[in-house]
Amino acid sequence: MRLTVAEIVQVTGGRVVDPLGDGRRAAVTGISTDTRTLRPGDLFVALKGPRADGAEFIPEAFRRGAAAALAGRVPGLPPGPVVVVTDPLAALGALARFYRRTLEVTVIGVTGSVGKTSTAAMSAAVLESAFTVARTRDDWNAEIGVPLALLGLTPRHQAAVIEMAMRGLGQIALLVEMAQPQIGVVTNVGETHLELLGSRENIARAKEELVAGLPSGGTAILNRDDPLVAGMRPPAGVRILFYGLGPSAEIRAGEIVHEPAGVRFLLVTGGGMEEVRLRTWGRHNVYNALAAAAVGVAMGLPVGEIARGLGRYVPPKMRLQPVRAGDLLIVNDAYNASPASMEAAFEVLEFVGGGRRTVAVLGEMKELGSCSAQLHRDVGAALARRRIDLLVAVAEGGAWIAEGAAAGGMLPEAIVHLPSVEAAVERLPGLLRSGDVVLVKGSRALAMERIVEALVASRGS
């Protein structure tokens, strides 16, 4: 990218503070919100976070070679041009919207209650054999990550896979207006964000904003097996591609087989059939792969090339990641948790166990609103129906999971409730046996990976 300070002022409606010279002609060649990774020529966007105000780092940004800064305030005399705006985050979005319209790139938007990140990563793996592809980073949230991903594009990029999360109605619509996707993927509608939206129907409305914003000639890729997703209707002129396991889906999977190295299945599209070997576990990941395959179909790729791309996919850390801790096999799924992803992880644990003793270490699930207690109990009941030997339930929500497991018939001696992650780190080693297969999963706020790290440190890798 290349923008002048004068263009940034025009797009954001800001004013320039530049006591040391005429910085309006300065050229910006990149964007940074973190001085530790800032490169010379970047525009430093001083966002205010829960622990720090980026405006305090403006002098450091210029010392590291920033061409200019964008901020809500200027502390002291700046050593370079600062564009002062009312809301730096909104201004960042405005810049991304402006810059996006200068590019000829196909944007693929991905949303859904669970599976967004994996689907986006699989889609990028499918496309990268034929296109120059960019995608949002796993550790970026939507309101910051989407504009940063767009501003990181260059004219050489032919496709961009953009994950679109939300915390309320209207947020995805804003991201769609910013990114202008031609292809939109909706993976599913679950209970995530019930605390904010109140019902699955409202969550569906929020996710449907991606479909509603597609242009004529675009493609909506929808999960045929999720009724709330299958019922979404895009504007006139938008093609619908359904994926799923049933015969009515254009892109579907057959002959699904779980193997020690992952999942093998037969990919069926209108263009033919091809075997896929996916290097990750779980039926839910077959759905994610089908969504990514549909992206490949929408982009005109043959089924063989799509299958090879899915085979190249490498799952990200803390998402059903196998970790060795001495004689333990840990399934590290600590990145996040929802009722749907919990049940998917139970299926994986049961399969990977393969006759060995299985242990589920489960933390609470956040943002479930007034239904939280019952949804935790439902997860416990679902666990009790599986061949899982020991439940270690962690934190307040874990108590509800334990209640549900007990009500579902799990024996009392097979259920342990611990009040915190710290307590789990201390107590869990004494509960485990040689050769156990251990699932660790909970909401991001709990940082359940600390349990995995402690087990690896105590038992070795």
Side-chain angles (χ1 to χ4, degrees), residues 215-234:
S216 179
T219 303
I221 295 173
L222 305 177
N223 184 346
R224 183 71 171 181
D225 297 344
D226 185 316
L228 288 174
V229 176
M232 294 179 179
R233 289 293 174 263

Side-chain angles (χ1 to χ4, degrees), residues 130-176:
F131 304 96
T132 304
V133 184
R135 77 175 184 94
T136 40
R137 272 177 25 188
D138 294 345
D139 57 346
W140 281 348
N141 65 34
E143 59 188 353
I144 299 173
V146 171
L148 288 179
L150 293 171
L151 288 163
L153 296 174
T154 68
R156 68 181 181 87
H157 285 114
Q158 298 165 300
V161 185
I162 306 292
E163 187 178 335
M164 295 184 173
M166 60 88 204
R167 291 178 60 82
L169 290 167
Q171 291 186 351
I172 289 179
L174 290 174
L175 299 177
V176 168

